[in-house]
């Protein structure tokens, strides 16, 4: 069942081939090492030449791998195959040159898929605009509760290449896949897969919403058992209809309402399965209580249902769904309750880096003082503000593109008090939390759900969330 033995045909095919690895970073370095170990002649090209890149280059050059820093656009002579980091845009001159020369391009996921052993662990794959990491971690927790050897891999946790070429053996893998990774993985065929939701994101990379959706939809291609979709998001069901799957593969929906046959849903505070039961027209199987989901916010219950659907598609018993959900603890900065101060809850959802994620976060609370702003990445905020207006006690804005949110608030929630902090320094977070405290009343939630990226003020969303938590601690001191 394990993943330890690399497919002989692929490894012999790569031996002696000149493979160009595009990009260092999280996926490029392991890809270069694996390819070198299989006997390929490896050249790594990278756009940047900063200190980290130079350190990674030195590590690879010590193994005999050629590295070209600051030269990510030109195709090295004699290249037989490119293995690319997922973030590199398809429009890059390197790929244009590869297409002209007839050189195939694989992503790290494609390489991992092709290197799987003969009896490799099947993949349960998850993609979507938001919720991927949480859902995959919930899924891995459920699979472990069923006594299965598994890991959360892909965009998180163990690298996929390490999982398929390492010594450890797995029964099944819970795989998080981004739209970038799916774009470069044409051969991938999962046991079962889920698209959690679709909202505009990364359109600068994909070029259009249609192209973005098409890349997400690749996760369903060739599925054997189940294509899991969000019944509240018709775009995900449309992708299932368009997918070319194996005979007998089923479309399985998840919903926050009562489930129809072939769906999982919620009835009277219970997560129920009407898909993987006998006589699903009449029967339903209790899986867990809403209270077993941490935190029990609506979008997180949806994540739990998607994870449960994939686990049930793999044959996991109901008790393992309950035990796995109970054992799961979410990562930091994902609707994390920081503290209660003077009857007000302070919640860190710094991971809400786009409007879709912020919308889910805002829907989880009744009366909110919202801290928002940062880098908008081309987003618009009218729909988000319209949906949240009735829940807003007040808003505190920070960051480079806060004016976009302020203007949407003026249009759609003119009665809501807004504090516009004209600051992008890291100390602005303490001021934002102090202003939020002034606006809040007992029973309210002060919610950091920025709806924007963090890089205008912080190194990443983790640092932004840490600054919020530290500011809240200073309030309670």
């Amino acid at each position: 069942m394990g993943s330890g033995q690399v497919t002989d045909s692929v490894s012999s095919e790569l031996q002696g081939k000149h493979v160009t690895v595009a990009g260092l970073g999280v996926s490029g370095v392991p890809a270069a090492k694996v390819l070198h170990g299989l006997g390929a002649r490896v050249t790594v090209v990278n756009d940047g030449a900063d200190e980290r890149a130079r350190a990674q280059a030195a590590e690879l050059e010590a193994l005999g791998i050629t590295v070209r820093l600051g030269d990510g656009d030109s195709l090295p002579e004699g290249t037989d195959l490119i293995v690319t980091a997922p973030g590199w845009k398809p429009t890059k001159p390197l790929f244009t040159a590869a297409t002209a020369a007839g050189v195939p391009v694989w992503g790290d996921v494609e390489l991992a898929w092709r290197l799987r052993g003969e009896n490799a662990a099947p993949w349960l794959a998850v993609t979507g605009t938001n919720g991927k990491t949480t859902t995959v971690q919930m899924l891995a927790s459920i699979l472990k509760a069923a006594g299965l050897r598994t890991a959360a891999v892909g965009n998180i946790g163990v690298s996929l290449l390490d999982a398929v070429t390492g010594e450890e053996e797995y029964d099944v893998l819970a795989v998080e896949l981004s739209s970038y990774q799916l774009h470069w993985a044409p051969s991938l065929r999962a046991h079962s897969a889920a698209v959690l939701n679709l909202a505009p994101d990364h359109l600068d990379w994909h070029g259009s919403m249609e192209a973005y959706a098409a890349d997400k939809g690749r996760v369903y291609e060739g599925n054997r058992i189940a294509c899991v979709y969000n019944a509240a998001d018709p775009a995900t069901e449309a992708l299932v209809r368009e997918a070319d799957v194996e005979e007998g593969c089923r479309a399985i929906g998840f919903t926050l309402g009562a489930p129809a046959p072939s769906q999982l849903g919620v009835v009277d505070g219970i997560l129920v399965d009407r898909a993987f039961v006998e006589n699903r027209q009449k029967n339903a199987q209790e899986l867990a209580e809403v209270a077993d989901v941490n935190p029990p916010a609506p979008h997180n219950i949806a994540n739990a249902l998607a994870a449960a659907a994939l686990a049930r598609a793999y044959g996991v018993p109901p008790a393992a769904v309950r035990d796995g959900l109970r054992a799961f603890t979410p990562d930091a900065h994902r609707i994390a309750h920081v503290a209660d101060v003077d009857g007000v809850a302070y919640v860190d959802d710094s991971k809400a880096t786009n409007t879709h994620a912020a919308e889910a976060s805002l829907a989880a609370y009744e009366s909110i003082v919202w801290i928002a702003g940062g880098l908008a990445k081309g987003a618009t905020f009218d729909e988000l503000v319209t949906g949240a207006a009735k829940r807003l006690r007040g808003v505190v804005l920070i960051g480079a593109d806060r004016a976009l949110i302020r203007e949407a608030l003026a249009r759609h929630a003119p009665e809501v008090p807004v504090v516009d902090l004209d600051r992008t320094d890291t100390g602005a977070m303490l001021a934002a939390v102090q202003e939020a405290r002034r606006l809040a009343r007992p029973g309210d939630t002060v919610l950091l759900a920025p709806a924007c990226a963090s890089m205008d003020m912080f190194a990443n969303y983790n640092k932004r969330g840490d600054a919020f938590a530290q500011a809240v601690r200073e309030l309670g001191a």
Side-chain angles (χ1 to χ4, degrees):
M1 298 290 285
S3 310
Q5 301 305 309
V6 169
T7 307
D8 288 340
S9 60
V10 177
S11 57
S12 59
E13 187 188 319
L14 290 167
Q15 203 160 8
K17 286 277 172 71
H18 183 191
V19 182
T20 294
V21 174
L24 285 161
V26 177
S27 63
V29 172
K33 287 179 178 175
V34 165
L35 290 160
H36 177 71
L38 293 172
R41 290 185 299 115
V42 180
T43 300
V44 181
V45 298
N46 196 65
D47 284 336
D50 59 15
E51 191 179 336
R52 182 162 180 258
R54 290 197 302 274
Q56 290 174 320
E59 180 191 353
L60 294 176
E61 284 167 344
L63 299 173
I65 294 169
T66 304
V67 182
R68 288 171 25 179
L69 296 178
D71 182 20
D73 281 344
S74 53
L75 182 68
E77 201 167 324
T79 297
D80 298 307
L81 168 70
I82 293 175
V83 174
T84 182
W88 283 36
K89 288 186 183 180
T91 51
K92 215 165 165 32
L94 175 70
F95 303 131
T96 309
T99 302
V103 175
V105 181
W106 299 353
D108 60 320
V109 170
E110 179 74 8
L111 178 63
W113 179 256
R114 289 177 181 249
L115 291 178
R116 288 153 42 258
E118 290 303 310
N119 301 306
W123 293 12
L124 300 175
V126 177
T127 194
T129 304
N130 293 299
K132 297 183 291 293
T133 299
T134 299
T135 303
V136 164
Q137 290 172 331
M138 284 177 168
L139 174 57
S141 185
I142 292 168
L143 295 169
K144 282 174 186 164
L148 295 161
R149 297 171 299 175
T150 191
V153 300
N155 254 353
I156 53 164
V158 180
S159 122
L160 255 175
L161 275 170
D162 288 345
V164 301
T165 61
E167 292 301 308
E168 186 150 357
E169 299 212 338
Y170 297 102
D171 298 314
V172 58
L173 292 172
V175 187
E176 176 185 340
L177 296 171
S178 71
S179 54
Y180 301 165
Q181 289 171 314
L182 287 161
H183 179 87
W184 299 116
S187 303
L188 169 65
R189 299 291 182 265
H191 172 287
S192 298
V195 179
L196 303 176
N197 42 58
L198 275 177
D201 202 16
H202 307 303
L203 301 192
D204 55 339
W205 196 95
H206 292 277
S208 69
M209 187 63 194
E210 291 71 26
Y212 173 62
D215 280 335
K216 288 290 193 193
R218 286 178 181 234
V219 80
Y220 290 137
E221 290 299 311
N223 280 199
R224 299 207 313 271
I225 304 299
C227 294
V228 177
Y229 68 91
N230 183 347
D233 191 338
T236 65
E237 187 174 5
L239 293 178
V240 176
R241 293 184 196 286
E242 291 158 18
D244 185 9
V245 299
E246 285 200 14
E247 184 92 19
C249 182
R250 295 170 58 200
I252 306 294
F254 62 90
T255 173
L256 293 176
S262 291
Q263 291 185 344
L264 280 73
V266 181
V267 178
D268 297 332
I270 306 290
L271 275 59
V272 296
D273 172 1
R274 284 191 73 187
F276 302 100
V277 291
E278 284 185 29
N279 190 5
R280 56 185 178 269
Q281 297 300 326
K282 293 182 179 174
N283 294 340
Q285 171 67 54
E286 290 189 10
L287 297 176
E289 295 182 16
V290 164
D292 295 324
V293 180
N294 179 22
H299 67 286
N300 212 38
I301 296 163
N303 294 338
L305 289 164
L310 289 171
R312 295 286 284 157
Y314 192 68
V316 163
V321 175
R322 180 199 63 211
D323 295 346
L325 290 175
R326 284 179 180 172
F328 167 74
T329 50
D331 280 355
H333 315 300
R334 287 174 166 81
I335 336 185
H337 180 266
V338 176
D340 288 319
V341 181
D342 299 333
V344 174
Y346 289 78
V347 174
D348 166 14
D349 198 19
S350 184
K351 180 66 172 69
T353 57
N354 57 38
T355 55
H356 191 260
E359 179 185 8
S361 195
L362 288 161
Y365 304 98
E366 289 304 315
S367 182
I368 300 162
V369 177
W370 180 30
I371 300 177
L375 285 179
K377 300 185 298 180
T380 57
F381 298 92
D382 293 272
E383 196 175 324
L384 175 63
V385 167
T386 302
K390 66 181 185 298
R391 298 169 179 269
L392 298 177
R393 168 86 68 192
V395 181
V396 181
L397 296 174
I398 57 175
D401 292 331
R402 64 190 181 282
L404 296 172
I405 306 176
R406 186 182 66 234
E407 289 156 12
L409 286 160
R411 284 191 290 272
H412 306 292
E415 71 292 344
V416 174
V418 177
V419 176
D420 187 341
L421 286 177
D422 185 11
R423 294 172 60 173
T424 53
D425 61 289
T426 50
M429 187 60 81
L430 178 58
V433 169
Q434 289 168 339
E435 290 290 348
R437 180 189 202 175
R438 190 176 57 75
L439 291 168
R441 302 284 176 271
D444 288 351
T445 298
V446 171
L447 175 66
L448 174 69
C452 292
S454 58
M455 287 81 74
D456 57 331
M457 295 170 64
F458 300 94
N460 49 48
Y461 74 80
N462 296 293
K463 295 281 190 241
R464 178 170 62 188
D466 291 342
F468 174 79
Q470 180 58 37
V472 172
R473 283 192 286 273
E474 290 185 28
L475 285 189

